[in-house]
Amino acid sequence: MSEEKKIESLQKEGQIFEPDASKQGQAWIQNMEAYDAANEKALNDPDGYWGDRAKELLTWFSDFDSVLEADYDKPEFKWFSGGKTNVSYNCLDRHLTDGRRNKAALIWQGEPEEDVKVYTYQMLHTEVCRFANVLKKKGVKRGDRVAIYMPMIPELAIAMLACTRLGALHSIVFAGFSSIALQSRIDDCQARVLITADAVLRAGKTIPLKGNADEALKDCPTIEQCIVVKRGGNEINMVEGRDSWWHEEVNAEDITSDCPFEEMEAEDPLFILYTSGSTGKPKGVLHTTAGYLLYAAHTTQCVFDVKDDDVYWCTADVGWITGHSYIVYGPLTLGATSVMFEGVPSYPRPDRFWQIVDKFKVNIFYTAPTVIRALMREGEEWVKNYDLSSLRVLGSVGEPINPEAWLWYHNNVGGGKLPIVDTWWQTETGGIMISALPYATPLKPGSATKALPGISAKIVRRDGSVADANEGGHLIVDKPWPGMLRNVWGNPDRYKSTYFAGFPGAYEAGDGARMDDDGYFWIMGRLDDVINVSGHRMGTAEVESALVAHPDVAEAAVVGMPHDVKGETIYAYVTLKSGVEPDDDLLKALKIWVRKEIGPIATPEFIQFADGLPKTRSGKIMRRVLRKIVEGSDEFGDTSTLADPGVVTDLVEGNKDLL
Ligand code: PRX
């Protein structure tokens, strides 16, 4: 059957891929009976289930007194009260005596092929202790915030673990964000120290980074010190008294490899990670020590079935939650070998990922649908040149994986045999919530399948009643889980209103979804004004406020436009101030402007200049109409409340001219 025919029939029949019978029973959860049993136990006796898991997966300096105290009204969730532990101890120290001392913890593949570094658990421990001592020397202590703005180099993981050793919170800002985005995040969490690098190596280019940090630091009074890793070797500006080189700091005479860890309370804050919401300002999602770490480790074990001699590779950037949980914290807690890759899938050729899988004999490979779609376009011959027989489990994250990409991944990378675990989760959930279990769950391409044991995910209507099978609704989780966010940094009201106000007694994910007759989840996408560009969340309000900050712009409305590779791309409607004429120069200037305000990922692919936006008589922009226009649809629904229905016709014309 041709690929197209196969996709067609698959969509029609809802084809199910049963687990390979010869391999069933090998994974951590062996089959659906075992899943059902675990799920039943976890839902009926969450304290027993999570308490056992916490003892199995983490080392405690003091036992916890209770597993969970939950209060949805406040809201406040306390996991493992009374327990004491330390993240860097769990990721490193304990593996020095459990037989893994000389095992590879991190295999780092730099962008240049010859740049490879392997850190055993012992070596990583030494580096983390040394750098923690540097931070200590700089005055960093328990509870302080440390901002990190770095490329995908080992020092990034070392810096994170060093923070956790001292009980300081890290707040990582993806290196693709602009200086303005960095500044606002540092300002929000009041970080004392910034760790950065001279440059990012990407697709054969040296992209300066320290200049962005300098720009940001012009307006960051809380930052006392800035530590810079030398990566690009490019010329940079060092500010005396503030800036220092990483390599000089860690090699200083007074820095030793011995650094005691702090005994942290289970609920002590661990890190802040900013993510886009439906208002202009990103939210500082707060995760805490024991619950987050347990959940990262637990999900790494049940979803990826990482075994002791596996090589496991998650291709995300550590600047996003996926990298936090599934490159660093989950795998290292389990004592696994985690691959970290500095480069991109398409450079120097679109076979880089497969070449790396072959080179390190990767067993578990976790990537995003946008990557699969981009590589699929390059043709399967790029995959065929490599021996991918080491692979056992394939994963996907960030957005729904369309059946076409699923099949391509399954057939070409997985040799038509390997399970694909399509994992649904969010920055806020800390770890995977809905996913297939490899070699256990029958798969349906495009469905994230079932909630993990103990995760009480449901689809409900606005009034909270449970939706019927196949009826679209709001995705909620009505039982707490250890990895859930504990607050929005500095903004408890937003924590409550965003996640716990919509459906009393439950966490509201902000996604729309449906459940089919077999109880499988089909995620439909965000219900708020957040769009998903290449698996990354972008708030339309954030891009709009960047656009209206430009002196020539009067108003802006941003929507997501369907895109073959990126999933969605940014489409902006812009009205200009009177007297300003639209032209190509202004168009280019606005794109550069947004890049500078937020970063390249926020750059609108299309900007349509318009005379007016579709507004109701009360002045509200009718986004539904704007979305329909970019989708090429003319089913605008009821537009009778529009102040000037003629605006829509003009916008449709303008859209046709642009595309
Ligand atoms: O809309 C969902 C989508 O990504 C959002 C979370 O984005 P972020 O916090 O940046 O975390 C991304 C990586 C965990 C969700 O609200 N999403 C994530 N994974 C999937 C997904 N949509 C469908 N299927 C998925 N597997």
Side-chain angles (χ1 to χ4, degrees):
M1 211 191 297
S2 75
E3 195 94 317
E4 288 79 39
K5 279 262 164 327
K6 224 171 166 182
I7 290 164
E8 235 175 66
S9 69
L10 187 147
Q11 280 165 340
K12 262 197 233 123
E13 297 159 20
Q15 189 184 342
I16 296 185
F17 289 70
E18 293 293 341
D20 178 346
S22 68
K23 300 263 175 55
Q24 217 182 357
Q26 292 186 4
W28 192 75
I29 291 181
Q30 302 190 341
N31 48 45
M32 289 321 268
E33 288 74 46
Y35 162 80
D36 287 339
N39 197 28
E40 207 183 298
K41 168 160 169 69
L43 291 177
N44 293 334
D45 175 21
D47 280 15
Y49 183 78
W50 294 115
D52 288 351
R53 290 266 71 202
K55 287 188 181 140
E56 281 157 24
L57 290 172
L58 302 185
T59 304
W60 297 87
F61 310 133
S62 305
D63 280 349
F64 43 90
D65 308 316
S66 65
V67 173
L68 170 66
E69 295 148 70
D71 179 341
Y72 276 98
D73 290 330
K74 271 186 179 168
E76 187 177 73
F77 303 90
K78 288 189 187 161
W79 285 88
F80 311 115
S81 281
K84 287 202 168 99
T85 187
N86 175 283
V87 167
S88 93
Y89 178 88
N90 277 279
C91 289
L92 302 168
D93 301 57
R94 63 178 181 159
H95 301 313
L96 304 184
T97 51
D98 67 3
R100 297 190 178 94
R101 187 164 80 91
N102 293 318
K103 174 177 174 176
L106 265 192
I107 298 178
W108 177 75
Q109 171 66 62
E111 152 117 343
E113 184 57 33
E114 62 283 7
D115 279 6
V116 174
K117 280 189 193 165
V118 178
Y119 291 82
T120 63
Y121 275 94
Q122 177 76 68
M123 290 160 77
L124 195 57
H125 178 265
T126 302
E127 296 301 324
V128 168
C129 287
R130 294 189 78 85
F131 191 66
N133 278 328
V134 170
L135 290 176
K136 226 186 206 174
K137 191 165 126 187
K138 304 269 175 209
V140 173
K141 52 181 192 340
R142 217 172 154 123
D144 284 347
R145 273 81 60 209
V146 172
I148 301 181
Y149 183 58
M150 281 167 99
M152 282 283 284
I153 52 179
E155 288 83 352
L156 171 53
I158 293 166
M160 294 164 82
L161 290 161
C163 289
T164 69
R165 198 160 188 89
L166 303 179
L169 290 73
H170 56 69
S171 173
I172 305 186
V173 180
F174 172 58
F177 277 121
S178 70
S179 58
I180 298 172
L182 174 64
Q183 187 276 335
S184 69
R185 286 158 175 77
I186 291 177
D187 184 54
D188 189 78
C189 72
Q190 304 274 291
R192 289 183 70 175
V193 171
L194 172 66
I195 307 164
T196 186
D198 54 359
V200 175
L201 302 193
R202 198 180 156 83
K205 294 194 209 85
T206 301
I207 304 163
L209 190 68
K210 173 65 166 46
N212 287 0
D214 288 339
E215 265 308 300
L217 293 190
K218 280 185 188 158
D219 197 12
C220 290
T222 56
I223 295 283
E224 297 154 18
Q225 303 280 326
C226 174
I227 303 170
V228 188
V229 180
K230 189 176 253 180
R231 176 62 187 137
N234 47 315
E235 196 75 29
I236 61 165
N237 172 46
M238 294 290 269
V239 175
E240 193 147 351
R242 185 194 74 187
D243 300 352
S244 59
W245 286 107
W246 172 295
H247 58 273
E248 288 177 6
E249 294 284 4
V250 293
N251 292 318
E253 239 167 64
D254 55 346
I255 294 298
T256 68
S257 319
D258 180 22
C259 177
F261 46 82
E262 287 283 317
E263 291 198 2
M264 305 302 289
E265 300 288 341
E267 279 297 345
D268 275 337
L270 177 62
F271 66 80
I272 302 164
L273 184 58
Y274 287 85
T275 189
S276 295
S278 42
T279 67
K281 198 168 174 256
K283 297 182 286 253
V285 168
L286 178 73
H287 283 290
T288 58
T289 301
Y292 168 82
L293 194 68
L294 167 66
Y295 200 65
H298 163 75
T299 49
T300 306
Q301 186 171 55
C302 55
V303 177
F304 298 114
D305 181 40
V306 184
K307 295 194 172 24
D308 224 12
D309 64 349
D310 278 340
V311 176
Y312 158 90
W313 181 20
C314 164
T315 71
D317 192 292
V318 171
W320 308 109
I321 191 70
T322 310
H324 281 59
S325 300
Y326 298 111
I327 295 178
V328 181
Y329 293 122
L332 297 185
T333 303
L334 295 181
T337 298
S338 182
V339 175
M340 182 177 185
F341 174 47
E342 184 183 31
V344 296
S346 52
Y347 182 85
R349 303 187 317 182
D351 59 355
R352 191 77 198 271
F353 274 8
W354 322 126
Q355 177 252 335
I356 294 172
V357 168
D358 191 355
K359 178 175 177 178
F360 297 123
K361 303 293 175 231
V362 170
N363 304 100
I364 299 147
F365 178 75
Y366 187 29
T367 196
T370 186
V371 170
I372 299 299
R373 288 193 297 263
L375 295 178
M376 190 166 98
R377 290 229 294 214
E378 303 289 340
E380 56 225 45
E381 44 298 355
W382 293 108
V383 192
K384 296 220 162 86
N385 294 330
Y386 297 95
D387 175 9
L388 305 183
S389 61
S390 55
L391 289 171
R392 194 174 78 244
V393 179
L394 304 177
S396 170
V397 61
E399 56 177 312
I401 178 163
N402 47 311
E404 193 186 2
W406 194 99
L407 267 192
W408 189 89
Y409 194 20
H410 179 72
N411 288 336
N412 295 292
V413 184
K417 290 200 271 263
L418 301 186
I420 297 175
V421 291
D422 174 0
T423 62
W424 176 86
W425 61 294
Q426 309 175 293
T427 306
E428 293 87 340
T429 68
I432 296 165
M433 302 289 279
I434 302 179
S435 170
L437 301 167
Y439 299 103
T441 313
L443 305 172
K444 298 186 189 185
S447 165
T449 77
K450 299 200 164 208
L452 296 186
I455 300 303
S456 185
K458 294 192 173 135
I459 313 287
V460 295
R461 305 188 183 105
R462 188 67 269 178
D463 65 6
S465 58
V466 176
D468 291 334
N470 296 311
E471 177 188 346
H474 299 258
L475 179 55
I476 62 157
V477 185
D478 66 2
K479 277 190 195 316
W481 68 100
M484 68 197 299
L485 81 163
R486 299 297 199 275
N487 216 334
V488 171
W489 184 257
N491 202 342
D493 291 344
R494 205 167 167 199
Y495 176 56
K496 182 169 183 163
S497 63
T498 311
Y499 304 108
F500 298 101
F503 300 92
Y507 165 83
E508 177 179 4
D511 275 359
R514 66 180 176 88
M515 190 186 266
D516 70 13
D517 295 318
D518 298 326
Y520 277 43
F521 285 91
W522 297 79
I523 311 293
M524 292 166 358
R526 302 289 309 184
L527 294 171
D528 50 10
D529 290 319
V530 172
I531 56 184
N532 190 324
V533 184
S534 301
H536 299 310
R537 251 159 86 166
M538 187 45 61
T540 50
E542 242 173 297
V543 185
E544 286 162 7
S545 54
L547 282 165
V548 295
H550 189 279
D552 291 341
V553 173
E555 257 192 317
V558 167
V559 294
M561 175 173 149
H563 187 276
D564 282 352
V565 173
K566 297 180 184 173
E568 278 186 295
T569 191
I570 298 174
Y571 191 108
Y573 297 87
V574 166
T575 63
L576 298 172
K577 289 200 177 139
S578 68
V580 182
E581 283 304 315
D583 61 18
D584 279 354
D585 287 341
L586 181 57
L587 188 102
K588 272 190 216 129
L590 289 181
K591 288 188 178 182
I592 294 169
W593 178 268
V594 176
R595 234 182 133 84
K596 212 168 157 246
E597 291 275 318
I598 309 175
I601 50 164
T603 314
E605 183 135 337
F606 297 100
I607 296 181
Q608 178 178 344
F609 292 115
D611 292 332
L613 298 174
K615 286 193 191 156
T616 59
R617 281 182 206 104
S618 59
K620 229 174 149 235
I621 295 175
M622 216 185 254
R623 285 167 183 284
R624 171 169 51 88
V625 171
L626 297 175
R627 265 186 236 120
K628 289 287 174 198
I629 296 175
V630 302
E631 284 165 12
S633 158
D634 55 7
E635 289 169 17
F636 300 127
D638 180 12
T639 51
S640 61
T641 52
L642 280 181
D644 175 8
V647 166
V648 179
T649 324
D650 292 348
L651 289 176
V652 172
E653 286 308 313
N655 168 269
K656 283 196 188 122
D657 290 347
L658 192 63
L659 300 181

